[in-house]
Amino acid sequence: MITLTENAANKVKQLQEEKGGGGKLLRIFVESGGCSGFQYGMSFDLKNDDDRTLKSAGVSFLMDDASIEYMKGSEIDFDDGLQGKGFEIRNPNADSTCGCGKSFN
């Protein structure tokens, strides 16, 4: 299960309102690249046939099966404080992470 904290859920809802909806949901994904081998990504997108729709903290989001496998048990937070990094993913499956917080191995 991938969970969103209350802060992350509130930010996603805010961004969806700003984008005007259009039936698009948050897509959370993992792709090759970054400084540690894989990197996280997020965008607003329409559902594809091979997507799964997950829900956490009142927010529905899309993920493909491969991304779910890499991110099982992850928590997504949003920090907008003075030293805030934006969205932060805490992934228990990552052997190592990069200082940018968007790349892992």
Side-chain angles (χ1 to χ4, degrees):
M1 179 98 190
I2 290 87
T3 57
L4 280 77
T5 64
E6 185 177 334
N7 284 343
N10 289 338
K11 186 62 176 182
V12 170
K13 290 174 187 174
Q14 176 191 344
L15 290 170
Q16 279 179 314
E17 287 175 15
E18 290 172 5
K19 301 279 184 191
K24 293 183 178 181
L25 297 175
L26 176 68
R27 174 179 301 284
I28 302 170
F29 57 93
V30 172
E31 61 186 358
S32 295
C35 36
S36 295
F38 294 100
Q39 62 187 6
Y40 303 111
M42 294 182 182
S43 63
F44 287 100
D45 201 0
L46 296 172
K47 186 177 188 304
N48 295 324
D49 291 338
D50 58 345
D51 286 333
R52 291 182 49 197
T53 304
L54 306 172
K55 190 170 189 173
S56 177
V59 173
S60 295
F61 55 96
L62 305 171
M63 291 187 77
D64 61 70
D65 287 334
S67 295
I68 291 171
E69 284 301 312
Y70 282 113
M71 292 183 66
K72 274 186 182 174
S74 293
E75 179 183 67
I76 301 172
D77 191 20
F78 184 80
D79 182 4
D80 63 351
L82 190 58
Q83 299 291 324
K85 297 186 218 175
F87 286 101
E88 179 181 4
I89 298 175
R90 297 181 195 111
N91 186 344
N93 305 304
D95 291 332
S96 62
T97 59
C98 181
C100 69
K102 301 198 182 341
S103 180
F104 71 100
N105 182 329

